[in-house]
Amino acid sequence: MNKDHRFSRAYGDEEGNIWLESELDLSGGVSLGAVGAFLELFRDHSLPDFMAHIGFEP
């Protein structure tokens, strides 16, 4: 559920497509390492969890 994920959310658009969106928190500044960690977190956790939730098999 979206309420359990502060910086990620899923939604459906007008055409019936399902999207996963995530935000990179820059409130404390940003570094190349922080961007890399964000992308790894999205790739390794957010995206696979979302795909499993909607039953998508790549």
Side-chain angles (χ1 to χ4, degrees):
M1 294 176 57
N2 287 335
K3 69 179 184 173
D4 297 329
H5 302 281
R6 181 173 177 198
F7 293 105
S8 294
R9 74 200 61 56
Y11 61 91
D13 66 15
E14 303 82 29
E15 298 173 359
N17 299 308
I18 300 172
W19 295 89
L20 177 64
E21 182 176 275
S22 191
E23 296 178 16
L24 173 57
D25 180 15
L26 302 176
S27 60
V30 66
S31 68
L32 185 56
V35 173
F38 167 77
L39 293 173
E40 288 178 14
L41 178 67
F42 187 82
R43 178 194 67 206
D44 296 342
H45 297 285
S46 299
L47 191 55
D49 289 350
F50 174 69
M51 289 170 34
H53 181 74
I54 64 170
F56 181 78
E57 295 286 331

